[in-house]
Amino acid sequence: MADAPSKPSWKDLAEFDLSDPESALALVEHFHGEWYNGGFSQLFANWNRADILLIPEALRIVGAPEAAPVVEAAIALFPDDQDDWRDIALKAMLDPASPLGNKLWDLNGSLGDLEDVIQQAAEAFELKLSEDEDL
């Protein structure tokens, strides 16, 4: 009987590579769309931890560093010792009495104040990429 293949570490599940400027931009654009569609609870319920952890640095790369601490604050609400945060976030999203859900909604408001900053930074970064400027 052959050994079953080992389950990949959550760290190996990242779809984005921040050493590539196009990937950093894609992460910010995907993050913004997911967050805009349902907030942090939905983001954490739908995405894998490996990509979520890359979002603050991607925001800094594309030129929206003021949004990074808000995402870091949301990340800090989730346990370091758990590989997958989806179940926790789903419960927070579905249970109106969830303390975690309430904290995430407060952070949604803070990020909402920076939504234009994120959008403008992504557009400017995309323009730089299209003009082949050094980043």
Side-chain angles (χ1 to χ4, degrees), residues 28-48:
V28 168
E29 289 175 339
H30 281 68
F31 157 69
H32 183 259
E34 183 79 23
W35 172 82
Y36 184 77
N37 192 41
F40 280 119
S41 293
Q42 180 169 311
L43 172 77
F44 281 82
N46 290 342
W47 281 32
N48 70 60

Side-chain angles (χ1 to χ4, degrees), residues 11 25 27 29 40 47 74-75 89 95 110 121 126 129 134:
K11 295 175 186 176
L25 177 61
L27 175 57
E29 289 175 339
F40 280 119
W47 281 32
I75 290 169
D95 180 2
S110 297
E126 186 171 15
L129 286 175
D134 290 333

Side-chain angles (χ1 to χ4, degrees), residues 58-96:
L59 288 165
R60 290 180 180 99
I61 289 169
V62 302
E66 50 276 268
V70 179
V71 178
E72 289 168 336
I75 290 169
L77 297 174
F78 287 80
D80 284 340
D81 62 348
Q82 186 167 344
D83 291 349
D84 192 354
W85 294 331
R86 290 180 175 128
D87 290 340
I88 297 168
L90 187 59
K91 184 176 179 183
M93 188 169 50
L94 297 176
D95 180 2

Side-chain angles (χ1 to χ4, degrees), residues 35 38-41 70 101 103-113:
W35 172 82
F40 280 119
S41 293
V70 179
K103 290 175 185 176
L104 291 172
W105 278 114
D106 288 345
L107 289 169
N108 284 332
S110 297
L111 193 64
D113 293 341

